[in-house]
Amino acid sequence: MRPTLAVLEQSLLERISDEAFTVLEKSGVLIEDENALARLAKVGMNADPENSRVRMPRALVEKALKDAPSSITLYNRDGDPAATLEEDKVHFVPASSALRVLDRKTQAQRNPTTADFVEYVKMADGLKNIDYLSTAFIPKDIPQDMADAWRLYLVLSHSKRPIVSGAFTSFGVPRMGQIMATFRNDKEDLVKRPMSIFTCCPNTPLRWGEDPISNIMDCAEWGIPIEIVPVLLLGMISPTTTIGAIVQHTAEVLSGLTIAQVVRPGTPVIFGGAPASFHMRLMTNPMTAVEALQMYCGYAQVAKFLKLPCQAYMALSDSKFNDPQAGMETGVGAFLAACAGFNSISGPGMLDYVNCFSLEKLVFDDEVVAHAKRFIRPVEVREDMPASDLIAELVRDKHLLTSEHTLQYWPEELYLPGPMVDRTNWDQWEDQGSHDWRERANQIINELLGSYEVEPLDEKIHTEVQDLFRRTCSDPNVILPSFTEQKV
């Protein structure tokens, strides 16, 4: 049996879905871009130019749900299957789109550079428990109208793993699609063997702005898997109560899913989310608030009821530093997310309200992920039922240290953590150099960077992609940061 978690009664799941259908039928969604509204009308949606709203009949949403796949396979840079998001299969990925990094030498937050990003990819590529990568933060030494595509290019240049990414502008997806198609035979091959999930966030409540609505339609046209991530703030721009908030959250996800399916039936869509609480005194938005965590687990149940893969921004921290609060929030989130069966969990490495990325935290979180994955491993009878003979052996010998049962099963049953979780006692710790957690984290980071070895990209690909950047950048004299010894 696999450990699971449920916060909603089963009978509520159908009622929540019905309420979401009603919201979309009665209120619909506001499209905050005239071009997108016309584009939706052109593909057959009921777009009202008078009030810019699109109302979605129940039958249309139900058909969209039938068209959306319940299983999504991601492929690596070489085109080989790498991860399948379905049922209760759990994957962890670094969180995305931080504005700053926590400098591991000075412990100060600062703007990231291309060099920081390359270091992140090379290090994260070697982590054993992180399933695929993300475009974790935004380099500032590149024109920001192309920073989304630049991050994607940097990951593809240094890792073969699938990627969670997204576009920052209304015109960002086609350029990123062209870059990814460079690694496939053609656009249709990219549709068949997607290498990336793109995040699209509606403007809560029930609004789609120019960038996300353009992105979701462009992703559908390119066949790029989409994670629809509403960012509800409980008590501010959503009901403060769990059920009401989940209804709104579900309606926002289904609105994006329906748009994607109308554009291209069969577009892979993930039921995502990044809800947060609204702190009524500080006016901050903690994503790790206990009520937000409860909502995450609730919408995971709704996603599974609707037979959709699901995603969450959990296993992260709102703390500004890698302190006890960060450890508590990350660990609790990771275990809840794993037990809830989220298929893609975006969070490791992130601090400070998704504003700051830390390599040291990512290394520590890799170990947290290992613990969470071990916890949800199904518990099975392993020659210990009936247990009377085993207990009799224990009573007779007063230990089981050398029993055949222990020798056979302990390597799989007793998880031995890596150096980020210190299991030494005080004397052992002193004998081994008295290293604190940051010293151990930086040792691992340096080892991973030293042992990094991924087949470099062909020079022709670098030239083709960088020419694309120069042609499409708003600055005709743009100078691209150098990160490769190859001449491009």
Side-chain angles (χ1 to χ4, degrees), residues 251-301:
E252 294 191 357
V253 170
L254 292 183
S255 70
L257 177 141
T258 302
I259 291 169
Q261 301 308 318
V262 168
V263 173
R264 187 189 183 102
T267 297
V269 173
I270 301 167
F271 192 125
S277 185
F278 182 71
H279 197 293
M280 293 294 182
R281 293 178 179 170
L282 298 175
M283 299 180 70
T284 55
N285 309 310
M287 299 172 70
T288 56
V290 63
E291 58 275 10
L293 295 176
Q294 194 173 53
M295 184 181 162
Y296 277 107
C297 297
Y299 84 67
Q301 288 181 257

Side-chain angles (χ1 to χ4, degrees), residues 363-432:
V363 168
F364 185 84
D365 292 352
D366 186 62
E367 186 59 61
V368 174
V369 168
H371 279 69
K373 287 183 174 180
R374 169 63 183 86
F375 185 78
I376 60 170
R377 197 181 76 185
V379 179
E380 302 170 339
V381 175
R382 310 191 84 172
E383 296 188 75
D384 49 2
M385 187 63 71
S388 56
D389 288 348
L390 195 60
I391 301 303
E393 182 182 351
L394 174 61
V395 170
R396 183 189 67 228
D397 296 343
K398 298 183 175 56
H399 67 84
L400 288 176
L401 195 59
T402 57
S403 79
E404 290 185 6
H405 188 270
T406 301
L407 294 176
Q408 180 174 348
Y409 289 110
W410 87 262
E412 294 182 7
E413 291 293 316
L414 305 183
Y415 173 67
L416 297 181
M420 288 317 302
V421 173
D422 185 0
R423 297 294 196 209
T424 61
N425 60 33
W426 187 272
D427 292 338
Q428 291 169 330
W429 177 68
E430 283 190 326
D431 289 342
Q432 294 178 14

